[in-house]
Amino acid sequence: MSRARLVPAALAVAVVAAGCGAAEESPTGSNTEAGITIFNTEPENPLVPGNTTEVGGSRVLDPMFTGLVEYRSEDAQPANAMAESIETTDSKVFTVKIKQGWTFHDGTPVTAKSFVDAWNWTAYGPNATQGASFFSQIEGYGEVHPKDPDGPDGPQEAPTPAVKEMSGLKVDGDHQFTITLSEPFSVFPVTVGYEVFAPLPEAFFKDREAFEANPIGNGPFKFVSRTVGTDIKLTRYDDYKGDDKPKFRDLTLKVYQSRESAYADLVSNNLDFMEELPPNALAGKKYETDLGDRVVQRETLNMQTIAFPFYQPPYDNVELRRAISMAINREEITQRIFEGTRKPADGWVHPLMKGYEPGQCGDYCTFDEAKAKEAFAKSGYTGEIVLLSNTDGGHQEWAEAVANSIKNTLGVEARFVPSTSFGEFRQKVNAHEMTGMYRAGWIADYPSIENWLTPLYRTGSSSNDGLYTNPAFDAKLAEADKAPSEEEAIGLYLEAERIMAPDMPVIPLWTQFTVGGKSDRLKVANLDPFRTLDLESVEVA
């Protein structure tokens, strides 16, 4: 079973119903005492599930924590993990029974309270977590997380909540709890596989600082050490009760400043796995010569975008946003930089999602010099256009190409400004300190159309980093959330996407056929649909 965090909404009903000593060979022939090293970027924050919504941190937390639900790497279908059952009759009240006998890495039991306490802590406004909005469907969320009062006079301090616990969460016993939502939401039982819904041990609440220095999970791997800017080391938790037990012992997530340097290590077998190769490896399909049968590839559920800081002129100008999008020659860039491993996007929902409708972005995502210049003239803007991005994820080549496309099409000064560290880059994004448009992207938390819209563009949502807002769009999402059937919900989510389209809140660029690679030490290493190494599949020679 994959430890990925996505699952089709169509399958929600299914959910409801460093070692020492001599090396040891498993029945599959894998060296079970071996360790592997994989590529990673520097996590933005301390390793707390409710406050981690970016890839660098997620890759660490995913093997460290097991939630109620996990999803199969081959087809993304859901299966209960820590949940014995999740039952509902109305998509509003859910009874959750968890499996007995599970422990955290410090030996303490995982109970229903471990989930409820973690969810309440994440949702509590003063804790200012990135994952809080994922609990907004639960009854009482508004009481523990009052609306941000920021307005035309600038940032205002939010009121202190009168309570610290959501009324919609109730512990029924050591191994059962009840969730009551404010409105029916059929997608909810699917969302609980996302890592922000992970349980937390009592040690976290007793001493958060100590936990952040030495995080304690309940997954197949436990924390060993973190050297900022260098690596994070995990090791197998041998008392793990899940079915997805690893066939190797140690896992090191090595932090690189660039994918190019990581790729050099991969080619020379000094890195065991890299989930996405850099553009210089894709050029001319160089990777085929470099790696041969060590290439790992599949179509994955992610999209590259460019986001705008709506709080920063001139990017609050809708005609400028439209002009920039129409000035980008997506087809040329995907062929020249990515050798066709990317496909130009024509909307904000991934094409692999059930209900996806092509062309939702319309002309605004089509390269058209005349229309781009017309919109640019309407904007009245004559200054410089800046594109910001980290470069440790292999983004420099395409970002420079995008800036040049804008410059050549609009006849305006446009330039790419790099930032080395992904962690530092994301900190500025979350602090709303971006001075230009910036690289963004999305790997779905669960493959539902809803997940491609709500977290990113709904007012106040966890990943609405540019502070976009549209009341009509929000209202249509709320209507879709309460739809009595999946088909009706999909139709309403598509309507919401069409309402949003003229605003161009972010620029969709392209989706991805991912090409990664492994060392010759790994006999088996598979990508899951979510652009992540399926750790359960790994077999070491």
Side-chain angles (χ1 to χ4, degrees), residues 25-100:
E25 291 278 329
S26 75
T28 62
S30 179
N31 182 352
T32 60
E33 295 304 300
I36 70 169
T37 303
I38 69 174
F39 169 87
N40 203 32
T41 51
E42 183 65 45
E44 175 189 356
N45 293 323
L47 299 170
V48 178
N51 198 34
T52 301
T53 58
E54 49 78 28
V55 174
S58 294
R59 283 205 196 99
V60 183
L61 292 175
D62 195 46
M64 282 185 61
F65 287 86
T66 296
L68 296 173
V69 172
E70 289 179 351
Y71 315 102
R72 299 194 310 221
S73 60
E74 64 272 21
D75 57 10
Q77 290 196 45
N80 288 335
M82 271 225 65
E84 188 72 50
S85 62
I86 305 175
E87 298 178 348
T88 185
T89 58
D90 57 5
S91 293
K92 183 178 179 181
V93 178
F94 298 86
T95 300
V96 179
K97 294 180 180 179
I98 68 168
K99 294 174 181 175
Q100 301 185 30

Side-chain angles (χ1 to χ4, degrees), residues 96-101 109-112 171-177:
V96 179
K97 294 180 180 179
I98 68 168
K99 294 174 181 175
Q100 301 185 30
V110 183
T111 65
V171 175
D172 303 320
D174 285 348
H175 302 99
Q176 181 174 308
F177 65 103

Side-chain angles (χ1 to χ4, degrees), residues 89-330:
T89 58
D90 57 5
S91 293
K92 183 178 179 181
V93 178
F94 298 86
T95 300
V96 179
K97 294 180 180 179
I98 68 168
K99 294 174 181 175
Q100 301 185 30
W102 284 57
T103 59
F104 288 104
H105 300 152
D106 62 357
T108 59
V110 183
T111 65
K113 192 173 184 292
S114 306
F115 285 93
V116 170
D117 287 351
W119 295 9
N120 277 321
W121 179 87
T122 302
Y124 186 61
N127 290 330
T129 65
Q130 293 183 6
S133 66
F134 284 92
F135 299 89
S136 61
Q137 304 283 352
I138 298 177
E139 195 173 79
Y141 175 80
E143 282 69 52
V144 302
H145 198 105
K147 289 186 177 180
D148 193 330
D150 291 0
D153 297 329
Q156 307 291 320
E157 187 173 346
T160 301
V163 296
K164 291 188 175 182
E165 298 178 350
M166 291 179 281
S167 58
L169 292 180
K170 179 187 175 186
V171 175
D172 303 320
D174 285 348
H175 302 99
Q176 181 174 308
F177 65 103
T178 301
I179 307 164
T180 302
L181 307 184
S182 53
E183 300 279 357
F185 182 40
S186 60
V187 177
F188 182 78
V190 182
T191 70
V192 297
Y194 185 32
E195 66 209 14
V196 300
F197 292 93
L200 286 170
E202 290 184 9
F204 171 80
F205 304 99
K206 290 178 179 177
D207 190 338
R208 176 180 170 184
E209 188 174 331
F211 178 94
E212 290 178 349
N214 189 12
I216 301 163
N218 68 319
F221 286 91
K222 60 183 180 180
F223 180 83
V224 175
S225 66
R226 176 180 182 179
T227 304
V228 174
T230 301
D231 61 32
I232 297 172
K233 297 181 184 294
L234 309 178
T235 192
R236 187 173 64 217
Y237 180 51
D238 288 330
D239 289 332
Y240 179 63
K241 302 298 183 184
D243 296 329
D244 52 331
K245 293 180 174 66
K247 305 182 190 77
F248 61 97
R249 178 167 293 281
D250 297 317
L251 174 63
T252 298
L253 298 101
K254 188 174 180 181
V255 175
Y256 285 88
Q257 296 305 309
S258 74
R259 283 189 181 268
E260 288 75 17
S261 59
Y263 181 68
D265 275 358
L266 179 70
V267 172
S268 60
N269 284 301
N270 291 320
L271 179 69
D272 288 314
F273 191 84
M274 188 176 185
E275 89 297 342
E276 180 185 3
L277 304 185
N280 71 327
L282 299 177
K285 296 189 176 180
K286 182 175 180 290
Y287 64 89
E288 292 184 347
T289 301
D290 289 345
L291 298 177
D293 61 4
R294 293 196 281 142
V295 174
V296 180
Q297 55 191 328
R298 73 178 296 167
E299 190 168 14
T300 52
L301 290 162
N302 52 297
M303 182 184 295
Q304 192 73 70
T305 62
I306 292 174
F308 297 102
F310 278 71
Y311 50 85
Q312 178 71 48
Y315 300 102
D316 56 348
N317 184 323
V318 66
E319 291 293 350
L320 178 62
R321 298 195 300 272
R322 294 170 180 172
I324 292 171
S325 181
M326 291 186 287
I328 299 171
N329 193 333
R330 295 164 176 78

Side-chain angles (χ1 to χ4, degrees), residues 287-523:
Y287 64 89
E288 292 184 347
T289 301
D290 289 345
L291 298 177
D293 61 4
R294 293 196 281 142
V295 174
V296 180
Q297 55 191 328
R298 73 178 296 167
E299 190 168 14
T300 52
L301 290 162
N302 52 297
M303 182 184 295
Q304 192 73 70
T305 62
I306 292 174
F308 297 102
F310 278 71
Y311 50 85
Q312 178 71 48
Y315 300 102
D316 56 348
N317 184 323
V318 66
E319 291 293 350
L320 178 62
R321 298 195 300 272
R322 294 170 180 172
I324 292 171
S325 181
M326 291 186 287
I328 299 171
N329 193 333
R330 295 164 176 78
E331 189 66 43
E332 179 183 273
I333 293 171
T334 54
Q335 291 298 324
R336 180 165 58 87
I337 302 293
F338 296 113
E339 292 286 333
T341 60
R342 308 293 190 273
K343 180 180 179 181
D346 60 359
W348 292 267
V349 171
H350 198 285
L352 293 181
M353 294 300 94
K354 182 178 181 180
Y356 158 80
E357 188 169 309
Q360 289 279 77
C361 187
D363 291 344
Y364 299 132
C365 286
T366 303
F367 176 65
D368 190 315
E369 185 173 352
K371 288 183 178 178
K373 287 182 174 178
E374 180 181 351
F376 187 59
K378 285 182 182 178
S379 76
Y381 183 64
T382 57
E384 182 183 51
I385 294 171
V386 174
L387 172 59
L388 307 168
S389 174
N390 61 301
T391 56
D392 53 351
H395 302 294
Q396 183 160 343
E397 287 90 343
W398 72 256
E400 289 175 342
V402 164
N404 286 332
S405 186
I406 295 167
K407 179 179 181 179
N408 296 335
T409 303
L410 299 180
V412 64
E413 186 60 35
R415 63 189 177 98
F416 164 62
V417 178
S419 169
T420 302
S421 167
F422 177 70
E424 292 176 3
F425 178 73
R426 284 299 308 172
Q427 286 170 3
K428 290 183 178 180
V429 169
N430 286 316
H432 307 133
E433 295 175 353
M434 304 309 284
T435 56
M437 62 184 192
Y438 55 94
R439 183 199 74 80
W442 191 246
I443 302 176
D445 310 310
Y446 41 93
S448 161
I449 285 181
E450 181 269 344
N451 189 244
W452 290 88
L453 300 174
T454 296
L456 292 160
Y457 311 117
R458 196 175 205 154
T459 302
S461 282
S462 61
S463 297
N464 186 352
D465 301 320
L467 304 184
Y468 166 72
T469 184
N470 181 328
F473 170 75
D474 292 347
K476 187 59 66 173
L477 285 181
E479 185 181 350
D481 289 346
K482 294 181 282 189
S485 71
E486 182 191 16
E487 290 71 22
E488 290 177 76
I490 286 174
L492 292 167
Y493 287 128
L494 291 173
E495 284 186 37
E497 187 184 16
R498 285 191 289 272
I499 289 171
M500 181 183 74
D503 294 342
M504 190 57 62
V506 307
I507 296 175
L509 291 176
W510 42 74
T511 55
Q512 184 170 331
F513 183 87
T514 298
V515 180
K518 64 183 178 69
S519 73
D520 59 14
R521 295 181 61 245
L522 303 191
K523 295 194 294 184

